[in-house]
Amino acid sequence: MKINTAKQKMLRGEPAFGYSAKLGSPVAAEFLGHSGVDFVMLDGQHGSWGQDSLIQGATAVCASPAMPFARVAYNFFPLIGQLLDAGTLGIIVPMVNTIEEARAVARACRYPPVGERSYGWGRALTYGDDYAEWINDQLFVAVQLETVQAVENAEAILAVPGIDGCMIGPADLACSMGFSPKEALKREEHVRALERVVQACRNTGKIPGIDTGASESVVKRIEQGFIFIPMGSDVKFLTSGAAAGLQIAKQAVAKS
């Protein structure tokens, strides 16, 4: 049996921290997994992964202590099943706005009788012959709430059996509310929307999450009640690190 240590932390009310792998590089994803985070989220929505490379990425993360999570491109039964069969222990589904869409997520993710996942698996068999006996309990399933409609339906969505929690997309939510993501921190209605989702999680006993985009935002988000916390990506680390290194070199030349 494989214990999903990230999910177990969140069930205890402790924050689980992770990084997003967007480059499409299994090697980069494996390095992220060795950084000490609780999970690595392979980003099949906004990342540069193909379906085959996502499976390679899951394999790479499994070689690290971090839990292999994945964000699927969209709410589609076959795509979700392929990622589960590859051995991912967390599935994040974007743009879930209604209870019907949440039920579709749960059906795709859980084996019967909880859901309708097709009985079978690929490299997930590396977890052992008892995989099907424990995966329903150990799998973490989160829906993304990213629109005004999703916030309004948050409690009904989160009450769906088989849904463990959510991840707010703050930028898309801001756009749905009629203003740019940069304005979100200044807009009271955006803050109230986040509070409404956290309260919906409390009312249903589910796990509140948010894409912080950067580790500098973590303290604020934890104070707001979020405990599922992706907080940066390989793309951001590469570009910011490269830019910082160049800046040091330019400053050294300027002083010489």
Side-chain angles (χ1 to χ4, degrees):
M1 178 176 176
K2 175 74 173 181
I3 302 297
N4 186 341
T5 52
K7 180 177 182 179
Q8 296 308 315
K9 284 185 72 171
M10 293 185 284
L11 288 176
R12 295 193 299 268
E14 302 170 19
F17 303 112
Y19 290 137
S20 296
K22 296 177 180 287
L23 285 171
S25 166
V27 175
E30 184 178 3
F31 271 106
L32 290 178
H34 283 287
S35 68
V37 290
D38 299 297
F39 63 89
V40 173
M41 185 178 76
L42 306 168
D43 193 349
Q45 184 190 25
H46 294 302
S48 299
W49 299 95
Q51 203 61 23
D52 287 344
S53 61
L54 272 170
I55 295 171
Q56 296 166 7
T59 302
V61 177
C62 284
S64 79
M67 297 295 102
F69 286 11
R71 174 159 62 176
V72 71
Y74 60 101
N75 190 357
F76 186 47
F77 190 99
L79 289 179
I80 292 171
Q82 286 180 329
L83 287 174
L84 292 171
D85 290 350
T88 54
L89 295 175
I91 291 288
I92 297 87
V93 181
M95 290 293 177
V96 174
N97 295 312
T98 68
I99 188 171
E100 291 79 13
E101 292 170 354
R103 285 172 177 160
V105 173
R107 283 196 299 270
C109 287
R110 309 290 183 182
Y111 281 130
V114 181
E116 298 175 6
R117 178 183 171 188
S118 178
Y119 196 84
W121 43 87
R123 68 159 301 279
L125 186 58
T126 59
Y127 290 131
D129 293 338
D130 62 346
Y131 170 78
E133 299 172 15
W134 52 260
I135 188 58
N136 273 0
D137 291 330
Q138 293 301 319
L139 180 65
F140 175 67
V141 179
V143 293
Q144 283 195 243
L145 307 180
E146 308 176 78
T147 67
V148 171
Q149 182 187 18
V151 172
E152 291 173 348
N153 293 331
E155 191 154 336
I157 289 171
L158 289 162
V160 170
I163 301 300
D164 295 304
C166 67
M167 184 173 86
I168 294 178
D172 279 316
L173 179 58
C175 293
S176 175
M177 299 178 83
F179 46 86
S180 73
K182 290 183 179 180
E183 294 181 73
L185 292 176
K186 305 174 185 177
R187 302 295 288 257
E188 187 68 18
E189 59 266 45
H190 194 271
V191 175
R192 297 286 84 81
L194 301 189
E195 291 175 349
R196 182 171 177 176
V197 172
V198 171
Q199 187 58 53
C201 287
R202 290 173 179 155
N203 293 345
T204 56
K206 301 299 175 70
I207 293 167
I210 192 166
D211 189 350
T212 65
S215 55
E216 309 91 75
S217 308
V218 169
V219 173
K220 177 180 178 63
R221 296 312 189 192
I222 290 176
E223 289 174 348
Q224 290 175 319
F226 296 102
I227 58 173
F228 172 49
I229 304 178
M231 55 177 189
S233 70
D234 48 6
V235 171
K236 178 166 286 189
F237 301 143
L238 178 63
T239 55
S240 62
L246 179 60
Q247 185 63 26
I248 291 171
K250 287 182 175 180
Q251 290 173 350
V253 170
K255 292 178 181 178
S256 63

